[in-house]
Amino acid sequence: MDNNLNAFFAALSDPTRRAVIERLTQGPAPVSELHGGHDMALPSFLKHLGKLEAAGLVRSEKTGRVRTVHLEAAPLAAAEHWLHRQHRLWERRLDRLTALAETLEKESDHARFQDPDA
Amino acid sequence: MDNNLNAFFAALSDPTRRAVIERLTQGPAPVSELHGGHDMALPSFLKHLGKLEAAGLVRSEKTGRVRTVHLEAAPLAAAEHWLHRQHRLWERRLDRLTALAETLEKESDHARFQDPDA
DNA sequence: CTGTTACTTATCCATATGGATAACAATCTG
DNA sequence: CAGATTGTTATCCATATGGATAAGTAACAG
């Protein structure tokens, strides 16, 4: 699960591949359609699809001479989950810091009240 | 905002860098502490920190001879947001398909009712 | 002011990545 | 069957990436 994050994030670090993912949220599509609009030779484009599939973000089946590609939901959810977790831990920590700061501020007020000319 | 996603995801595609992020959710740390535990020469490790900082995931300040590194929340949130959006679009599409399937099923039942031996 | 600590900078190296072209294979279509 | 479609495989190439070592700078500590 953790090892996959390497391939997941690497796959998403390329704009061509993110565009493919975005397109696929509209539904499955054959390779040639996905390729259309990307200014790039087909074999080069196929390597991108290969990485997406290797990362498990996408799956494909071939029928006749057409290969149809579709999104795979689970990995998106997994990566999202990792990010969310880190984000949450970080925000929680900020909250604790804020709370601490407020505590210190109150104590500081109190001290000033007891010893105004400090 | 979109251009940053390249660097964001690329930064997260390496386990050393993800480990740094995870460590930093516990709070800021000096370079040497972050480096400890990673079996890697300091300059190599510094390149990882450099990428994290270039991606905006992390910031650092130097005081005396110590550089302290801390997490930057916003980019995590941005990447998380992109993933969430794609995930949502994809799930919404699955829902539409499910609905369509159910509709077809009902129509099919209806047809069978009118023409039971089909 | 000498030594130690904590980075920094400069190179170097092997492999990975993103791109291209050329040639091949396997369907359809007429 | 002949030809066009739709991928696929095999190379090749330039640059990026992840690692290393060596040497340098900038604070402290004594």
Side-chain angles (χ1 to χ4, degrees):
Chain A
M1 189 55 83
D2 187 59
N3 186 18
N4 279 345
L5 282 178
N6 286 10
F8 289 172
F9 285 127
L12 291 176
S13 73
D14 181 284
T16 299
R17 293 191 294 256
R18 281 199 307 278
V20 169
I21 295 291
E22 289 184 10
R23 163 64 187 79
L24 288 178
T25 61
Q26 309 294 118
V31 166
S32 50
E33 189 198 315
L34 291 174
H35 175 221
H38 293 277
D39 187 17
M40 180 184 302
L42 218 214
S44 309
F45 184 75
L46 280 186
K47 291 213 277 187
H48 286 297
L49 288 185
K51 295 215 167 171
L52 286 174
E53 194 151 12
L57 281 162
V58 129
R59 213 180 298 175
S60 71
E61 294 91 31
K62 194 165 183 177
T63 325
R65 47 184 174 167
V66 172
R67 176 174 296 279
T68 302
V69 186
H70 62 90
L71 255 198
E72 199 64 19
L76 274 187
E80 196 185 333
H81 186 255
W82 187 90
L83 279 179
H84 184 63
R85 182 181 148 73
Q86 308 310 131
H87 191 207
R88 220 189 50 215
L89 285 171
W90 171 235
E91 301 250 291
R92 189 189 294 168
R93 188 172 174 280
L94 285 182
D95 287 350
R96 283 202 304 270
L97 276 184
T98 305
L100 176 61
E102 278 165 11
T103 302
L104 290 178
E105 204 176 310
K106 269 179 212 151
E107 278 171 10
S108 156
D109 286 355
H110 189 56
R112 220 174 288 127
F113 184 71
Q114 287 188 308
D115 184 5
D117 57 51
Chain B
M1 189 57 81
D2 186 60
N3 188 17
N4 279 344
L5 283 178
N6 285 10
F8 288 172
F9 285 127
L12 292 177
S13 73
D14 182 283
T16 299
R17 292 191 295 256
R18 282 199 307 278
V20 169
I21 295 289
E22 290 184 10
R23 163 63 187 78
L24 288 177
T25 61
Q26 310 292 120
V31 167
S32 48
E33 189 199 314
L34 291 173
H35 175 222
H38 292 277
D39 186 18
M40 181 184 302
L42 219 214
S44 309
F45 184 75
L46 279 185
K47 290 212 278 187
H48 287 295
L49 287 185
K51 295 214 165 169
L52 286 173
E53 193 149 14
L57 281 162
V58 128
R59 213 180 297 176
S60 70
E61 293 91 30
K62 194 165 182 177
T63 323
R65 49 184 172 166
V66 172
R67 177 173 294 279
T68 302
V69 186
H70 61 91
L71 255 196
E72 197 66 19
L76 273 187
E80 196 185 335
H81 186 254
W82 187 90
L83 280 179
H84 184 64
R85 182 183 148 73
Q86 307 311 133
H87 191 207
R88 220 189 52 217
L89 286 170
W90 170 235
E91 300 250 289
R92 189 191 293 167
R93 188 171 174 282
L94 286 182
D95 287 350
R96 284 202 304 273
L97 277 184
T98 305
L100 176 61
E102 278 166 9
T103 303
L104 290 179
E105 204 177 307
K106 269 179 210 147
E107 279 170 7
S108 156
D109 286 353
H110 190 55
R112 221 175 289 126
F113 184 71
Q114 287 186 314
D115 186 4
D117 56 51

